[in-house]
């Protein structure tokens, strides 16, 4: 049986996490391929209009996400909701627009599905999600601290891994969704999948 490259996306305006992995179509085991974090920041130039700055940040995200999708067959993501102010709603819109503009088909998973697929509880904390991802995929290309600090030592997992750990969990949830399982049945029946 063959393998396909899939992606999980944990979108936010400041830190957008993308994980790609080879999915074994027979066993549904993931082999983490690449972890990407796209960071954007508000402009410090007071002369830049807010709308222009949002556009710049949107383009930075798109220009980081699209190359990470190279060779990917399908993507999974959580659609953000519940924004309480203008900034969060704008950020959510940019993330949703990024998902809508992906060069591959996508499948939505809920935050609950993600946490259940990873840790097994709907109330998993960020720390639990990161610990799960590191334990399950110790050979993934995680970011590590290069120098010691106040609360970490050289070689410890970097706090930036939060977003890519969530992206990995989103993939885990995505491959268990009914819509993907229907697609999987088709993929398994194709001679191309058999030869891949």
């Amino acid at each position: 049986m063959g393998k396909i490259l899939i992606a999980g996306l944990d979108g936010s305006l400041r830190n957008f996490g993308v994980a790609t992995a080879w999915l074994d179509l027979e066993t549904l085991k993931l082999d983490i391929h690449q972890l990407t974090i796209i960071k954007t920041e508000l402009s410090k130039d007071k002369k830049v209009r807010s709308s222009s700055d949002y556009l710049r940040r949107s383009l930075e995200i798109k220009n980081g996400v699209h190359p990470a999708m190279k060779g990917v067959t399908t993507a999974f993501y959580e659609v953000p909701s519940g924004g309480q102010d203008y900034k969060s709603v704008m950020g959510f819109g940019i993330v949703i627009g990024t998902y809508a503009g992906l060069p591959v088909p996508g499948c939505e998973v809920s935050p609950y599905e993600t946490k259940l697929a990873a840790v097994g509880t709907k109330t998993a904390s960020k720390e639990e999600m990161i610990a799960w991802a590191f334990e399950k995929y110790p050979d993934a290309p995680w970011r590590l601290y290069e120098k010691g600090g106040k609360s970490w030592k050289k070689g410890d997992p970097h706090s930036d891994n939060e977003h890519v750990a969530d992206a990995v969990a989103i993939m885990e949830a995505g491959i268990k969704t009914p819509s993907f399982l229907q697609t999987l049945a088709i993929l398994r029946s194709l001679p191309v999948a058999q030869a891949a």
Side-chain angles (χ1 to χ4, degrees), residues 84-162:
Q84 301 298 315
D85 59 33
Y86 175 77
K87 288 181 180 180
S88 62
V89 170
M90 283 296 288
F92 288 177
I94 290 167
V95 168
I96 292 168
T98 301
Y99 294 159
L102 288 175
V104 298
C107 179
E108 180 181 355
V109 298
S110 74
Y112 293 132
E113 288 173 313
T114 298
K115 290 179 179 185
L116 282 172
V119 180
T121 175
K122 293 179 182 181
T123 58
S125 69
K126 291 178 182 184
E127 293 78 16
E128 289 173 313
M129 295 293 285
I130 294 169
W132 164 83
F134 271 79
E135 185 177 327
K136 182 153 188 184
Y137 298 102
D139 297 328
W142 303 109
R143 290 187 181 192
L144 305 175
Y145 284 107
E146 295 178 13
K147 297 179 181 176
K150 291 182 181 178
S151 58
W152 65 85
K153 62 181 186 274
K154 181 179 177 181
D156 279 351
H158 201 285
S159 61
D160 281 351
N161 289 306
E162 171 191 339

Side-chain angles (χ1 to χ4, degrees), residues 25-41:
L25 295 175
E26 183 64 33
T27 65
L28 293 185
K29 288 189 177 182
L30 296 175
D31 180 17
I32 305 300
H33 173 63
Q34 183 177 350
L35 302 173
T36 305
I37 302 169
I38 300 104
K39 293 175 167 277
T40 73
E41 293 186 14

Side-chain angles (χ1 to χ4, degrees), residues 41-121:
E41 293 186 14
L42 282 168
S43 174
K44 294 179 180 162
D45 185 348
K46 300 292 184 191
K47 295 177 184 174
V48 174
R49 287 190 325 237
S50 176
S51 57
S52 297
D53 201 38
Y54 279 119
L55 176 60
R56 174 192 57 83
R57 294 173 80 185
S58 299
L59 289 168
E60 287 177 12
I61 290 170
K62 181 195 79 133
N63 292 335
V65 170
H66 281 229
M69 294 290 106
K70 186 175 182 181
V72 168
T73 301
T74 192
F76 302 98
Y77 41 75
E78 294 175 351
V79 176
S81 63
Q84 301 298 315
D85 59 33
Y86 175 77
K87 288 181 180 180
S88 62
V89 170
M90 283 296 288
F92 288 177
I94 290 167
V95 168
I96 292 168
T98 301
Y99 294 159
L102 288 175
V104 298
C107 179
E108 180 181 355
V109 298
S110 74
Y112 293 132
E113 288 173 313
T114 298
K115 290 179 179 185
L116 282 172
V119 180
T121 175

